[in-house]
Amino acid sequence: MKRLFIRTYGCQMNVYDSERMAEAMGAEGYVTTEVAEEADMVLLNTCHIREKAAEKVYSDLGRLRPLKAAKPDLKIGVAGCVAQAEGAEILKRMPLVDLVVGPQSYHRLPAMAKAADEGRKSVDTDFPEEDKFDYLPERPKSAIRPTAFLTVQEGCDKFCAFCVVPYTRGAEVSRPADRIMREAQGLVEKGVREITLLGQNVNAYHGTGEGGDWSLARLVRALAKIDGLERIRYTTSHPNDMEDDLIAAHGEEPKLMPYLHLPVQSGSDRILKAMNRKHRAEDYLRLIERIRAQRPDMLMSGDFIVGFPGETDSDFEATMDLIRAVNYGMAYSFKYSARPGTPAAEKTPVPDEVADARLQTLQALLTAQQRAAQESMVGREVAVLVEKPGRLPGQMVGKSEYLHAVHVLSDAAPGDIVRVRIDASSTNSLAGTVVAA
Ligand code: 5AD
Ligand code: SF4
């Protein structure tokens, strides 16, 4: 028996990929450990989206030096988007690394680990012909929690001017619908109650399936028919791929949860154009109106970038106006980070102090909106999918339809859904009382 330690950076797809890599290595006799010092192999599943995330990988690799020195048989692998973007460069910069594997070839990880055991280093950043999912083992029951991620689509063809994703994850590819249905069915049989469909551009999903092309809406409607699957979510979406049938599904399909992550990045038409987002602020606002017409309680989430090259005070004010108009329940915001190889990286950056100040102003507004959305839940009844025990005796923690964490005294088991009246709101969670099982 060998031990595998995986550290995951970045997005939810990396979380999913790490699980699948652990399963692939599990089939080779590796068990996962939470303690790097115990591991026979350390795998960093990396993120390249912003400079800070990418550089962190190198400092973390540096920190593994004493461990490798004490344990010469320790194997170190780099997976994910830094692996894809930098490939063999990583071996040059960090000779302690044994293998580098990109996000499309991690079904080959077990073979690469074997090679490493035999003293051979390897780099695989192919976009292979074969579909990695066909080569990964079925998901073991031990790995199952009430909620699961399921990748349905990978890659992006949008080429936003700031973004490395089209280069690291490649072109848009949708998995065939029947494979997704089978994977979902398997998860539900093992106890999963909520599935979050993942894709870099998930609402661009168009997979082959029975009767021809399946849209994301069609996939959602088919998944909703699986008995025992109670909740469906999807992330991340692009506004321009929000098709009519998907908007309609939000009004018609009760298993589709009222929480939507729909990044807009900026509220300024000038900046949106420079970002190559291919829509105006107004289009986004109208889209949200149409979505809320289907689901008035929809909790909106978004991503924002401040300090994109050329952003003026009035561009920034336009973003603030858009945020006020939407009223977000959740949001992620970032200072623009120039990424090598992207078109925006050629442009003159906004001074750091200006970008920092704007980020603070924007985050203050988003935090206030988030807090207000959470506080508006007090006195309301929500359905909580119980996930695990809380810190206090008899307490359980789960998520509401709106993805708020909820603490509740209950003898419900993970996977149960309980009706809860919300009594209080704290910084990061709600607390409530069970009203009926
Ligand atoms: N700089 C800052 N933020 C970025 N994002 C993507 N690329 C960059 C970049 N170069 C943000 C976007 C995207 C989220 C996943 O990360 O907001 O939606
Ligand atoms: Fe990057 Fe998203 Fe734009 Fe694709 S749509 S290029 S993943 S920000």
Side-chain angles (χ1 to χ4, degrees), residues 298-437:
M298 183 68 83
L299 189 142
M300 291 303 307
S301 162
D303 285 343
F304 296 89
I305 296 178
V306 300
F308 185 80
E311 186 186 70
T312 62
D313 284 339
S314 77
D315 292 322
F316 176 67
E317 278 313 316
T319 302
M320 294 290 283
D321 287 342
L322 177 140
I323 293 171
R324 287 184 202 103
V326 172
N327 193 13
Y328 287 90
M330 185 68 207
Y332 304 86
S333 48
F334 313 98
K335 186 164 84 166
Y336 169 73
S337 163
R339 306 305 290 127
T342 60
E346 311 292 316
K347 304 225 186 111
T348 317
V350 165
D352 236 16
E353 320 80 74
V354 175
D356 282 332
R358 284 181 190 160
L359 186 62
Q360 261 195 5
T361 309
L362 179 123
Q363 287 183 338
L365 176 59
L366 288 170
T367 306
Q369 290 190 347
Q370 252 162 264
R371 194 158 301 155
Q374 217 182 277
E375 273 161 14
S376 76
M377 295 289 157
V378 176
R380 282 175 61 182
E381 240 179 74
V382 295
V384 174
L385 172 58
V386 174
E387 291 179 14
K388 57 183 184 209
R391 269 198 223 130
L392 303 177
Q395 191 189 52
M396 299 299 285
V397 192
K399 298 269 165 60
S400 77
E401 304 90 320
Y402 309 99
L403 219 49
H404 287 130
V406 180
H407 295 263
V408 63
L409 287 176
S410 166
D411 49 16
D416 291 347
I417 294 181
V418 288
R419 301 283 316 164
V420 174
R421 199 194 53 246
I422 301 300
D423 304 320
S425 168
S426 60
T427 318
N428 290 315
S429 65
L430 298 168
T433 318
V434 173
V435 288

Side-chain angles (χ1 to χ4, degrees), residues 162-201:
F162 50 82
C163 186
V164 290
V165 166
Y167 312 98
T168 55
R169 289 275 175 169
E172 261 172 43
V173 180
S174 294
R175 294 177 66 193
D178 61 329
R179 314 272 174 87
I180 296 166
M181 292 301 295
R182 229 181 296 142
E183 189 173 333
Q185 234 129 19
L187 289 169
V188 173
E189 275 159 26
K190 289 173 185 130
V192 168
R193 293 292 166 258
E194 172 181 302
I195 291 180
T196 301
L197 305 174
L198 295 183
Q200 268 87 34
N201 214 353

Side-chain angles (χ1 to χ4, degrees), residues 156-161 166 172 201 204 238 240-241 276-278:
C156 181
D157 295 342
K158 293 278 189 291
F159 291 94
C160 296
E172 261 172 43
N201 214 353
H238 190 289
N240 289 359
D241 290 314
N276 193 31
R277 291 289 292 182
K278 300 200 176 84

Side-chain angles (χ1 to χ4, degrees), residues 14-154:
N14 267 11
V15 174
Y16 174 83
D17 288 349
S18 289
E19 285 171 10
R20 301 303 311 254
M21 286 192 275
E23 291 157 15
M25 295 296 280
E28 307 291 315
Y30 279 84
V31 295
T32 52
T33 169
E34 305 287 312
V35 189
E37 287 71 20
E38 279 181 359
D40 298 288
M41 180 169 180
V42 169
L43 189 63
L44 306 185
N45 192 14
T46 62
C47 173
H48 201 247
I49 196 97
R50 283 169 292 274
E51 189 181 0
K52 247 197 213 143
E55 280 307 312
K56 178 129 189 30
V57 172
Y58 285 102
S59 54
D60 286 354
L61 282 170
R63 230 169 284 134
L64 288 171
R65 265 192 211 112
L67 193 59
K68 179 104 173 182
K71 243 177 129 173
D73 283 342
L74 173 71
K75 299 296 175 260
I76 296 177
V78 179
C81 291
V82 176
Q84 189 62 40
E86 299 183 9
E89 278 302 307
I90 298 174
L91 295 184
K92 274 199 210 141
R93 196 168 151 190
M94 285 286 165
L96 84 173
V97 172
D98 297 285
L99 65 90
V100 175
V101 61
Q104 298 313 332
S105 26
Y106 63 71
H107 55 299
R108 298 174 179 164
L109 176 62
M112 295 171 78
K114 236 174 242 159
D117 282 338
E118 290 158 10
R120 282 176 287 123
K121 295 194 179 210
S122 55
V123 176
D124 191 335
T125 52
D126 286 355
F127 287 99
E129 278 297 309
E130 79 270 15
D131 179 351
K132 66 180 175 232
F133 295 111
D134 292 344
Y135 292 84
L136 293 170
E138 211 193 296
R139 317 198 59 182
K141 190 164 167 76
S142 58
I144 297 300
R145 290 179 293 274
T147 62
F149 293 132
L150 201 176
T151 292
V152 303
Q153 179 278 340
E154 275 187 85

